[in-house]
Amino acid sequence: MSDDFFAAPPFSPDDALQRAQRELRTLGLTPREGRFEKQGIPVARVDIDGQTLKASLVRKLIRTPEWTERTLKGNAALRQFIADVKKCLAASGDQDD
């Protein structure tokens, strides 16, 4: 049996971008002009940058956002980014559950 049997699948930026967009829409965010918004306020943005994703999350939900950028190089980093978006929405009290 090969040692690669339990290895994680390789990171695909195209698939990861589609997954991120789907997850962000599931959270109730609306895609607009390359970013995702909640009631007209920017929350997150995700784009392909070579073999990685460039993801940004606002520090506070305000009309003129300050972005915190990070580079996502794997599926675990993408899951952490989505979890951080959920925390941001929960902290603002705007998440519908």
Side-chain angles (χ1 to χ4, degrees):
M1 195 169 251
S2 173
D3 291 335
D4 293 338
F5 181 74
F6 292 108
F11 183 69
S12 169
D14 295 322
D15 293 341
L17 178 62
Q18 289 178 359
R19 179 175 173 216
Q21 291 171 338
R22 185 173 49 249
E23 292 278 343
L24 292 171
R25 282 192 304 269
T26 301
L27 292 174
L29 301 178
T30 305
R32 184 173 296 136
E33 298 177 7
R35 61 182 185 243
F36 287 83
E37 300 178 347
K38 180 75 171 188
Q39 299 175 346
I41 299 173
V43 176
R45 58 185 178 196
V46 182
D47 198 15
I48 294 177
D49 185 27
Q51 290 298 311
T52 62
L53 287 183
K54 184 188 289 185
S56 303
L57 179 63
V58 295
R59 293 181 188 174
K60 289 177 97 178
L61 293 180
I62 55 176
R63 295 263 178 220
T64 308
E66 294 180 24
W67 297 98
T68 302
E69 293 189 1
R70 61 181 93 171
T71 301
L72 309 180
K73 297 181 180 179
N75 292 321
L78 176 59
R79 285 190 300 275
Q80 182 61 48
F81 175 73
I82 297 298
D84 291 344
V85 171
K86 288 179 182 178
K87 287 179 193 174
C88 179
L89 291 172
S92 72
D94 289 338
Q95 188 175 20
D96 299 328
D97 280 338

